[in-house]
Amino acid sequence: MNGTPRLRSAYPSTPQATKEQIGAGSGASLPRVPLPTLSSRQQGPQAPLIPFSLIDGPSQRLYIAFFYLGLTAWRLCDYYGLVSDETDSLWLFMKWVAIDSIFLYGLPGLKIPWLQWSSTSMTMLFVGHAIFDAVLMFRIPIPLEAWLIAFTRIFYDRELAVSERRVKPANVLHNSSLILGKQIIHILPEGSATLNPNQTAFCIDNFTSSVILPIQTNQTNPILIELLRVDLETNLNETLTIQAKEIRQLKKQAQKLPLDRDHASLRYLQYPVKLTGLYRLQKVVDESKLEVQRRLSDTLVVRCPSAHIMTVPETKCIGDLSNFYLQIDATPPINIKYSKRINGQESGHAVLSIPLKSPVSPLARQTNSGALIGKESAANVDVSWARSQSTRISLNESLGISGTWQYTVDEVQDGCGNVVNYADPRLAEVHRRHVLTKEPLEQRFSVHERPRVALRGCDSQHPLRVPKGKSIRLPIQLSSTGRESAEQGTHRLSYIFTPSTEVLPNQEHPEVAAHEVFELEPHTAGHKVSEPGLYTLQSVESVSCAGEVLEPSSCLLSNPPEPSLSIETQVIPDRCAGNSVGLLVDLDLTGTPPFRISYIIRRRGGPVTPQVEETNLLHTQMELRPVHSGHYTYEFQHISDAVYREPRSLHDPRIVLEQDVKPPASARFLDAYPARKTCIGEPVSLGIQLFGEAPWKLDYELVHHGRRQKRKRDAIESSIYTLVTEELKGGGEYSLALTAVTDKSGCKVSLEQETKIEVALQRPKASFGLIESQRTILALEDKKVILPLRLQGESPWTIQYRNLDHAGDALTTKLLRSTNDEIEVKDAGTYELVHVDDATCPGNVDAASNRFTVHWIPRPEVQVSESVAIDLLQGNFVKKGICEGDEDAVEISFTGTPPFDVEYIHNVKPERGSQSTSTKKFTAGINLASVRMETTEAGSHQYKISKLSDLSYNHNPSKFSAVTIEQRVYTTPTAIFVEGGKTYRYCKEEEAGGEKVPVSLKGLPPFHLEIEVRHHSSSKPELITIPNIETHQYNLHVPHRLLALGTHAVRIRKVRDAHGCQRRLDQYAPHVQVNVAEVPGITAQESRTDYCVGDRISYTLSGSPPFNVFYTFHGQERKASASTTNFRRLAETPGDFTITAITDQRSADCKAHTDITKVIHEMPSVRVSKGRTATVDIHEGGEAEILFEFGGTPPFEFTYTRSSNPPRGKKSQILDTKSDISYEYMKSVLASDEGIYEVVSIKDRYCAFSTQRIQGKSGISAQKLLT
């Protein structure tokens, strides 16, 4: 076996025992020797207890390993039982020490290779196992987890935060955004002073007595200021000196002004002046008695510009010029702005510029230096160009629109830039003073239309024709410019007149003509004239304006000749029979067409028939052709024309014609118009009159839809004949024409007689319409109801209908004229249409819509709502009894339209005493109401609802049935604990479970219990209400919200049965006790409640681990687990951290509620110069403001440093360190030294933060809570 090769990964060879090893001590180090043969090993004295032939060496070692693992598992099971059952730890320790000693010291006796150790090794193994047994059985905690966490943090540093997520503490502790910003101060040269640095314009007037001149100082503290003033009127100059006392007052005023953060060194002194002039800063001396550098800048204070209107009369006519002036007083150049409104509408703005009269004015040139005069002495300076000048401007524009025109001065600006805005509402007082001083700012014009006049319907080519001796009004048409109608009021007109005998051939007036003037009132048609001649309009004027005369303006008035008549006649023969059939009369007329001639026709033996002939011709013909034979006389009586409209007699001489006539055959319809109407499928009868001698033959045609049917009737003996057609089976229009007629003479005469027959396309139809998409309606009882109808056919219609609910009534007939007509009914029921006829035909009724139902709105009724507590006995409602003093009500429902007014009578028969009655009323807004039952007195109660009305109906005793409700009011049940005096166990704050307390009840279920729970250390009890107990035995479970640690007394206070009656039990009645056991607890390791972001909040837990900790943070409920009695979280963000409950392993079903709140405050922060790097330049000796803005809870203590301003590429050095305190969120510190100012540490009321190096270690300091 020794020669067998082995892999490097194979199990090592079994050591071999030699003769030298047998005699050696057990503790000697034995070298390995080759394994002897099997025979030699079996014969050696040191052979293993179990021969290798039975179990080889590796298997024996494997079995020993399994046996050791089994002992270890047994040991851990005892440890688990120790934790859960609290077994005696000493006994278990001694047990396992003995087992370990037997195993370890007995193992060498097996003589298993590789498991034979020296005595030293055996002792060390035994001591190690004994220590391990002590740790387990005595539950000695070993911080293995802490060691592992410390080792892990070298590579992975994370902690659980209050938000139950792992965060890196360094990210929370090292927050570089808490201190931001720095300020750099540079020293600049000495200060300066400037007068009016912004070149603001100033002016003085009667309303502004003084102005403020700003003097800008930069890094200087002046004690003397001199101003040079040059008078504008006299060119004389003077020096104004501002002494130190006045300067101090100006400085105090300047300090009240808002500070420019970007230019903190600038200060503005506001110096008031009351005189106009040119001002210059002449000298400034500071505290060092040295003169301050001045910037050359001149400031003009002039008279404020002003403007007003020199008004003129307001009445104007269209086309007139406005022609008014603007008066302006200002320093040139001047700009004036005015606006114009026409009829209330804005019509634009205009700006007028008035240039300088003097070219030497510096206001005319652009300059940025601010100097208006030279740098030399101001002794002989001419500033007359700055004086206010008076200017007048003419505004002359055409007024082309009628209405109200308004010109308003809006703004005036002088050459210095001073602006007076009269349109500004703040200058309303200035505007008012202008009006009071008769310097108005507005000019109004009332522009009127000019009248126009012309003649309508008459000119020299179309004269007015008037009968002789009659007058007529000249057709004068008045209008105005821009509109058709003239303005209201009287107009004055003039015209010239020339008689017709003196009018020139060219229809013009001679040199001498009569001139007339007249006035035309409103709504007058014209001026009356009667004399013939030529009239020409000359002029027209209204109340306000002169107008113009339009064409046509001339009119010729003439008197035409009177009408007359002369006639000639000729006989008209019959071409077939040769008889005379009439006369042809030629009429010759004189006068003015059209003519109207009146004459009469007289037939012998017949009546006289008057006739009229009208013609527009001076010569015409007329036929006198009678239709009947006989002797005829024609007499012409009167004539009239277009001018002479009154008829003139023709009796002098009389014009009379006579003749004997036998007319030819003819025929005509007696009633051809209007068209005959009939129903489809029916014949038509037509009356025809025949002329001539009987018998007659009649030919006619019937035309329908283009089809022509010829018909003939023979042997007609009567001159009046009735023609009956066949049945007309097609709907639409038929034409029946008489084509020819033949009489006894045999002469056939063609006819042109035609009539129309309209055959209805369908028969009329009737149905009921819809009301709100249905043929049913609700209405008030006994009120009239309108039912809509839908009719087809030709008006009028005759309908018949009936009420099906009144079978014995006769049919009702109505005549209707509209397709959507209505019928009026007054009874409820179902109405049915029976028959309909239109103007022509009988019709049909639509079977699907021939009925309409009318329902009455139900009268109000009252019903008692069904309930198990109400029975109906003998017509009265009986409500279940109730206990005296308890609240009860009955639900009643109404039928009708809410609201309902109810009146009921309450009758009480008490158990003792006399009966009483009372009447009560109430109003119900809906169809349901609750009537409160009176239970203050025991006995029999009766409620009788006697009156009821609703929105639709008043109370009607004849149609209302009273409702009666009765109830019995009862008088009092008992409850005891089954095991009075017994003590029950509960777990503190357990949500469910716990022992049940049996209660025995007597009375009529269901019961209502009230239980009192009182803690032994409290005098105030807690109450439990248990309703609806349906049995006489009840198991009470006491709510845990009423329990605290310790013993509680539980007793029954009240009990109520199914009648609603209750009994209050005596406080000394038997009771039971409830004992609440201890639950796990949690205690903060620090008594403080205020923490900072980055702090660790630690708690100590009491109970059996592991624990579940319940807490809220940022209003969110969370749950955390703790395997030890320590619970810690990192304060990551600010907020309230509140522990609300805890459970442990032993009391997993009991949750211990608590309320431990820790307030996590945000870290203080500071911002220098708004968190930016700001650079401030100051003069030597000046000061700059450093603004610190804090975040957190005041007061704030902070430390800041001043470092050098290093050259590029070099580090700055700290020159100075200062500490300060602020009780506000902002603090300003003045600094005059040059350098870089930045904060290195900050702390507020609770927390602190620093960027300094602490104790030689680099980094940002940890936060800490300040107390």
Side-chain angles (χ1 to χ4, degrees):
M1 292 181 65
N2 293 338
T4 302
R6 294 179 180 272
L7 295 175
R8 297 177 58 186
S9 60
Y11 199 86
S13 300
T14 303
Q16 299 178 4
T18 64
K19 294 181 178 180
E20 292 77 8
Q21 290 175 323
I22 297 173
S26 61
S29 176
L30 302 177
R32 294 185 179 183
V33 296
L35 184 67
T37 60
L38 179 62
S39 60
S40 64
R41 287 187 300 170
Q42 291 175 346
Q43 295 173 0
Q46 295 296 329
L49 183 63
I50 301 173
F52 290 150
S53 60
L54 183 62
I55 302 175
D56 60 6
S59 298
Q60 291 185 30
R61 288 193 296 271
L62 181 61
Y63 294 151
I64 292 298
F66 285 153
F67 182 74
Y68 182 76
L69 291 176
L71 290 177
T72 304
W74 185 15
R75 193 191 330 264
L76 294 177
C77 288
D78 284 350
Y79 169 73
Y80 177 76
L82 177 68
V83 172
S84 59
D85 299 335
E86 297 185 358
T87 311
D88 189 2
S89 299
L90 179 61
W91 184 89
L92 289 176
F93 171 71
M94 295 174 64
K95 165 187 170 182
W96 280 105
V97 167
I99 293 174
D100 288 339
S101 64
I102 293 172
F103 174 77
L104 293 174
Y105 286 104
L107 186 60
L110 298 176
K111 298 180 181 181
I112 300 174
W114 286 27
L115 296 180
Q116 293 177 280
W117 301 300
S118 64
S119 59
T120 304
S121 300
M122 189 67 64
T123 303
M124 292 179 61
L125 287 174
F126 175 74
V127 172
H129 279 73
I131 293 173
F132 181 65
D133 292 338
V135 169
L136 288 180
M137 302 310 155
F138 291 107
R139 293 183 293 175
I140 300 174
I142 299 176
L144 294 177
E145 183 180 358
W147 297 343
L148 181 61
I149 291 175
F151 178 76
T152 306
R153 283 183 178 176
I154 300 175
F155 308 99
Y156 181 78
D157 186 12
R158 293 289 189 274
E159 288 188 32
L160 275 174
V162 292
S163 59
E164 285 304 313
R165 65 187 183 95
R166 294 192 174 273
V167 299
K168 192 172 183 179
N171 293 339
V172 179
L173 296 173
H174 304 165
N175 189 354
S176 60
S177 64
L178 296 177
I179 299 179
L180 294 176
K182 59 184 176 180
Q183 183 157 320
I184 303 174
I185 298 179
H186 292 293
I187 301 296
L188 295 180
E190 64 183 46
S192 61
T194 306
L195 175 64
N196 191 17
N198 298 326
Q199 296 296 308
T200 306
F202 299 98
C203 67
I204 295 175
D205 58 8
N206 295 333
F207 312 118
T208 305
S209 60
S210 64
V211 296
I212 302 297
L213 297 182
I215 302 174
Q216 174 187 290
T217 62
N218 183 20
Q219 294 299 326
T220 184
N221 192 10
I223 60 173
L224 177 67
I225 299 175
E226 290 185 358
L227 291 175
L228 175 67
R229 173 183 171 271
V230 180
D231 189 88
L232 301 181
E233 302 299 328
T234 62
N235 291 333
L236 298 178
N237 61 76
E238 63 174 332
T239 300
L240 305 177
T241 302
I242 308 175
Q243 300 296 337
K245 180 179 180 181
E246 189 174 359
I247 292 176
R248 285 195 296 271
Q249 295 178 352
L250 296 179
K251 289 180 180 178
K252 291 181 180 180
Q253 297 175 0
Q255 291 175 353
K256 299 179 181 179
L257 299 177
L259 189 64
D260 189 350
R261 298 291 183 184
D262 297 331
H263 303 87
S265 61
L266 298 180
R267 180 178 296 170
Y268 292 89
L269 306 180
Q270 296 182 335
Y271 181 67
V273 296
K274 297 183 178 180
L275 299 176
T276 61
L278 185 144
Y279 291 84
R280 172 178 288 182
L281 191 62
Q282 184 168 282
K283 184 178 181 181
V284 178
V285 179
D286 63 3
E287 291 178 332
S288 61
K289 306 298 182 181
L290 298 177
E291 190 170 343
V292 178
Q293 181 181 0
R294 294 171 287 108
R295 177 187 172 191
L296 188 61
S297 176
D298 295 332
T299 298
L300 273 177
V301 179
V302 299
R303 296 290 299 175
C304 288
S306 65
H308 67 276
I309 295 177
M310 302 180 68
T311 57
V312 297
E314 295 186 359
T315 301
K316 295 285 185 178
C317 299
I318 283 186
D320 289 350
L321 298 177
S322 56
N323 195 21
F324 67 96
Y325 292 91
L326 298 177
Q327 181 69 37
I328 308 167
D329 296 310
T331 300
I334 306 169
N335 289 329
I336 183 168
K337 180 180 178 182
Y338 69 93
S339 60
K340 177 173 63 177
R341 298 177 68 88
I342 302 177
N343 293 325
Q345 299 294 325
E346 192 73 37
S347 186
H349 298 266
V351 179
L352 302 177
S353 298
I354 304 174
L356 288 165
K357 297 181 180 179
S358 172
V360 299
S361 172
L363 299 177
R365 59 179 183 269
Q366 299 292 331
T367 176
N368 294 325
S369 64
L372 298 177
I373 59 177
K375 297 182 180 180
E376 66 278 357
S377 174
N380 298 318
V381 174
D382 182 11
V383 292
S384 60
W385 45 267
R387 297 171 187 166
S388 179
Q389 299 180 10
S390 181
T391 306
R392 180 180 295 181
I393 301 176
S394 173
L395 291 182
N396 214 11
E397 67 173 309
S398 177
L399 306 176
I401 300 176
S402 62
T404 302
W405 289 54
Q406 176 182 333
Y407 293 86
T408 305
V409 177
D410 294 334
E411 182 180 288
V412 60
Q413 179 180 355
D414 63 7
C416 301
N418 295 296
V419 178
V420 176
N421 187 356
Y422 296 110
D424 192 337
R426 293 172 295 182
L427 295 181
E429 181 64 20
V430 177
H431 189 283
R432 189 180 67 83
R433 293 181 183 179
H434 267 272
V435 176
L436 295 177
T437 55
K438 297 184 179 180
E439 296 180 353
L441 299 173
E442 294 181 357
Q443 172 65 60
R444 292 177 179 267
F445 291 114
S446 180
V447 180
H448 299 274
E449 299 280 355
R450 292 184 181 273
R452 290 178 174 177
V453 66
L455 295 174
R456 181 181 63 242
C458 177
D459 53 29
S460 57
Q461 302 301 322
H462 301 85
L464 286 178
R465 294 180 173 88
V466 182
K468 294 179 181 179
K470 302 291 185 179
S471 62
I472 194 173
R473 292 185 180 273
L474 283 176
I476 296 173
Q477 181 179 13
L478 284 173
S479 62
S480 62
T481 54
R483 63 183 72 176
E484 295 182 359
S485 59
E487 289 188 349
Q488 296 296 325
T490 302
H491 290 73
R492 184 180 179 87
L493 294 88
S494 66
Y495 67 89
I496 57 176
F497 168 71
T498 300
S500 57
T501 56
E502 300 177 8
V503 176
L504 299 180
N506 58 357
Q507 298 295 315
E508 291 186 358
H509 295 274
E511 294 182 0
V512 179
H515 185 272
E516 298 290 341
V517 177
F518 65 93
E519 291 184 352
L520 194 62
E521 298 295 335
H523 309 295
T524 303
H527 181 61
K528 275 190 175 183
V529 293
S530 59
E531 188 175 353
L534 182 62
Y535 296 83
T536 301
L537 296 175
Q538 291 293 103
S539 65
V540 60
E541 295 179 3
S542 66
V543 177
S544 305
C545 304
E548 58 180 321
V549 178
L550 304 179
E551 294 296 333
S553 60
S554 297
C555 181
L556 183 63
L557 180 64
S558 64
N559 296 135
E562 296 181 2
S564 61
L565 172 67
S566 61
I567 63 174
E568 293 182 0
T569 62
Q570 183 179 353
V571 175
I572 302 174
D574 184 0
R575 289 175 294 177
C576 178
N579 301 323
S580 173
V581 296
L583 290 176
L584 184 64
V585 182
D586 293 328
L587 303 178
D588 293 319
L589 303 163
T590 59
T592 305
F595 298 95
R596 181 183 178 87
I597 304 168
S598 301
Y599 64 96
I600 60 174
I601 301 175
R602 184 181 294 109
R603 179 187 177 191
R604 182 178 296 168
V608 176
T609 304
Q611 298 289 336
V612 175
E613 180 75 14
E614 294 184 356
T615 181
N616 290 323
L617 304 175
L618 296 177
H619 177 80
T620 186
Q621 284 186 339
M622 60 181 294
E623 285 188 358
L624 299 176
R625 191 190 293 265
V627 295
H628 298 284
S629 60
H631 181 80
Y632 289 85
T633 302
Y634 306 92
E635 182 178 352
F636 293 87
Q637 294 183 326
H638 301 92
I639 188 173
S640 63
D641 64 3
V643 177
Y644 297 89
R645 296 183 180 277
E646 296 182 1
R648 295 181 175 271
S649 176
L650 294 176
H651 290 170
D652 189 15
R654 294 180 62 190
I655 302 177
V656 178
L657 301 177
E658 294 184 4
Q659 70 168 341
D660 291 321
V661 177
K662 287 187 178 181
S666 179
R668 69 179 182 88
F669 290 107
L670 293 177
D671 49 359
Y673 298 100
R676 184 68 63 88
K677 295 181 180 180
T678 187
C679 299
I680 190 169
E682 295 183 358
V684 177
S685 299
L686 298 171
I688 299 175
Q689 184 178 13
L690 301 169
F691 301 97
E693 295 182 272
W696 289 275
K697 295 180 181 179
L698 182 63
D699 296 331
Y700 68 93
E701 293 178 344
L702 187 64
V703 182
H704 179 240
H705 289 174
R707 295 179 58 191
R708 189 181 302 273
Q709 300 177 7
K710 295 186 177 182
R711 299 286 188 270
K712 180 182 291 186
R713 294 287 191 269
D714 297 332
I716 301 174
E717 296 294 337
S718 174
S719 62
I720 302 299
Y721 176 71
T722 299
L723 176 64
V724 179
T725 67
E726 63 269 26
E727 292 182 355
L728 305 179
K729 298 182 179 180
E733 184 180 77
Y734 287 79
S735 295
L736 194 151
L738 302 180
T739 57
V741 63
T742 305
D743 65 353
K744 182 179 179 181
S745 64
C747 294
K748 187 175 183 179
V749 179
S750 298
L751 300 176
E752 294 181 357
Q753 292 286 322
E754 184 177 349
T755 187
K756 300 292 184 181
I757 303 172
E758 293 182 1
V759 179
L761 296 175
Q762 63 180 9
R763 292 187 177 274
K765 187 177 181 181
S767 64
F768 279 112
L770 298 176
I771 297 179
E772 297 182 356
S773 303
Q774 58 185 358
R775 293 183 178 86
T776 303
I777 188 173
L778 281 174
L780 292 177
E781 188 175 349
D782 300 329
K783 298 293 184 180
K784 293 182 179 179
V785 181
I786 302 299
L787 303 183
L789 293 174
R790 300 295 178 263
L791 302 172
Q792 297 179 5
E794 186 176 353
S795 176
W797 292 268
T798 302
I799 66 166
Q800 291 181 331
Y801 62 92
R802 63 187 172 188
N803 189 338
L804 297 179
D805 295 352
H806 297 76
D809 293 351
L811 294 176
T812 303
T813 303
K814 290 286 185 181
L815 181 65
L816 306 175
R817 299 188 179 277
S818 171
T819 57
N820 296 300
D821 218 325
E822 300 168 336
I823 61 175
E824 185 180 277
V825 298
K826 61 178 181 178
D827 294 324
T830 300
Y831 288 85
E832 181 184 43
L833 292 175
V834 178
H835 184 71
V836 61
D837 292 334
D838 69 354
T840 306
C841 309
N844 302 318
V845 175
D846 188 356
S849 54
N850 67 332
R851 294 184 180 184
F852 203 108
T853 302
V854 177
H855 295 293
W856 296 139
I857 296 175
R859 286 189 172 273
E861 295 181 359
V862 62
Q863 299 89 25
V864 177
S865 300
E866 296 183 2
S867 171
V868 295
I870 298 178
D871 297 324
L872 182 62
L873 298 176
Q874 297 179 357
N876 294 339
F877 292 94
V878 179
K879 194 170 182 356
K880 284 189 176 182
I882 193 170
C883 298
E884 183 178 2
D886 288 351
E887 291 292 333
D888 193 16
V890 62
E891 298 289 338
I892 59 175
S893 59
F894 301 97
T895 301
T897 308
F900 302 92
D901 293 326
V902 183
E903 180 179 313
Y904 66 92
I905 300 172
H906 179 208
N907 186 21
V908 181
K909 293 181 179 179
E911 294 179 353
R912 296 180 183 86
S914 58
Q915 178 177 338
S916 62
T917 302
S918 61
T919 301
K920 299 183 179 180
K921 299 178 181 180
F922 68 91
T923 299
I926 57 176
N927 294 76
L928 192 65
S930 178
V931 178
R932 180 177 175 271
M933 313 300 284
E934 294 291 340
T935 61
T936 57
E937 188 176 4
S940 177
H941 293 253
Q942 186 186 72
Y943 306 85
K944 182 178 181 181
I945 300 177
S946 57
K947 292 183 179 180
L948 177 65
S949 61
D950 66 354
L951 183 65
S952 302
Y953 298 97
N954 293 326
H955 176 69
N956 190 337
S958 62
K959 297 186 179 182
F960 176 73
S961 299
V963 175
T964 302
I965 304 170
E966 297 178 353
Q967 185 182 39
R968 184 78 180 178
V969 178
Y970 300 105
T971 46
T972 0
T974 197
I976 59 172
F977 291 107
V978 176
E979 298 177 319
K982 183 179 177 180
T983 300
Y984 297 86
R985 298 183 59 86
Y986 275 68
C987 184
K988 173 60 180 169
E989 300 189 40
E990 186 180 5
E991 296 298 334
E995 294 186 79
K996 305 291 184 178
V997 181
V999 180
S1000 176
L1001 300 151
K1002 293 182 180 180
L1004 181 65
F1007 298 94
H1008 183 99
L1009 278 179
E1010 184 176 299
I1011 307 297
E1012 175 187 302
V1013 180
R1014 186 190 304 270
H1015 192 268
H1016 70 279
S1017 62
S1018 174
S1019 60
K1020 182 179 180 180
E1022 300 288 346
L1023 300 180
I1024 307 172
T1025 300
I1026 307 172
N1028 299 324
I1029 301 174
E1030 298 291 345
T1031 63
H1032 291 84
Q1033 298 294 327
Y1034 177 72
N1035 292 324
L1036 171 66
H1037 178 267
V1038 181
H1040 285 76
R1041 60 184 175 83
L1042 306 178
L1043 301 177
L1045 289 176
T1047 304
H1048 301 74
V1050 180
R1051 74 178 185 88
I1052 301 173
R1053 294 187 63 179
K1054 288 190 300 186
V1055 61
R1056 189 170 68 239
D1057 66 357
H1059 289 304
C1061 304
Q1062 70 179 13
R1063 178 187 297 276
R1064 182 179 296 272
L1065 277 71
D1066 187 81
Q1067 60 179 346
Y1068 300 106
H1071 64 278
V1072 297
Q1073 291 185 341
V1074 174
N1075 187 23
V1076 180
E1078 183 64 49
V1079 292
I1082 182 170
T1083 306
Q1085 294 183 358
E1086 298 176 280
S1087 60
R1088 59 175 175 154
T1089 58
D1090 296 302
Y1091 288 78
C1092 300
V1093 171
D1095 286 348
R1096 292 168 177 82
I1097 307 175
S1098 301
Y1099 299 88
T1100 299
L1101 309 177
S1102 62
S1104 299
F1107 300 91
N1108 288 326
V1109 181
F1110 302 87
Y1111 66 92
T1112 60
F1113 184 67
H1114 284 170
Q1116 183 177 0
E1117 295 184 357
R1118 304 174 188 268
K1119 176 184 177 182
S1121 299
S1123 58
T1124 65
T1125 56
N1126 289 326
F1127 177 72
R1128 186 177 74 171
R1129 288 295 182 267
L1130 177 66
E1132 174 193 7
T1133 56
D1136 291 343
F1137 181 79
T1138 303
I1139 304 292
T1140 58
I1142 180 174
T1143 62
D1144 63 356
Q1145 184 184 30
R1146 181 178 302 171
S1147 59
D1149 295 333
C1150 294
K1151 182 183 291 186
H1153 290 273
T1154 184
D1155 185 10
I1156 304 175
T1157 300
K1158 303 294 184 182
V1159 180
I1160 303 173
H1161 298 276
E1162 63 177 342
M1163 292 300 297
S1165 62
V1166 59
R1167 303 288 186 271
V1168 182
S1169 300
K1170 301 292 185 181
R1172 303 187 300 268
T1173 299
T1175 302
V1176 178
D1177 299 328
I1178 63 174
H1179 291 279
E1180 187 70 34
E1183 292 180 331
E1185 182 186 34
I1186 304 176
L1187 178 63
F1188 300 92
E1189 297 175 293
F1190 305 100
T1193 306
F1196 302 95
E1197 296 182 22
F1198 61 99
T1199 302
Y1200 63 95
T1201 62
R1202 180 174 66 88
S1203 305
S1204 61
N1205 290 326
R1208 184 182 298 274
K1210 294 186 179 182
K1211 293 184 177 180
S1212 63
Q1213 296 181 352
I1214 296 178
L1215 303 177
D1216 191 11
T1217 301
K1218 295 183 179 180
S1219 297
D1220 204 344
I1221 187 169
S1222 174
Y1223 295 93
E1224 304 293 338
Y1225 286 94
M1226 296 179 62
K1227 185 177 182 66
S1228 296
V1229 176
L1230 298 178
S1232 58
D1233 296 327
E1234 187 175 43
I1236 302 174
Y1237 292 81
E1238 53 188 337
V1239 176
V1240 295
S1241 67
I1242 174 69
K1243 64 180 179 179
D1244 65 355
R1245 180 179 179 183
Y1246 300 104
C1247 307
F1249 182 78
S1250 176
T1251 60
Q1252 292 178 316
R1253 300 177 185 269
I1254 301 178
Q1255 297 179 357
K1257 295 184 179 180
S1258 176
I1260 301 176
S1261 67
Q1263 302 94 326
K1264 88 174 180 179
L1265 185 69
L1266 301 179
T1267 57

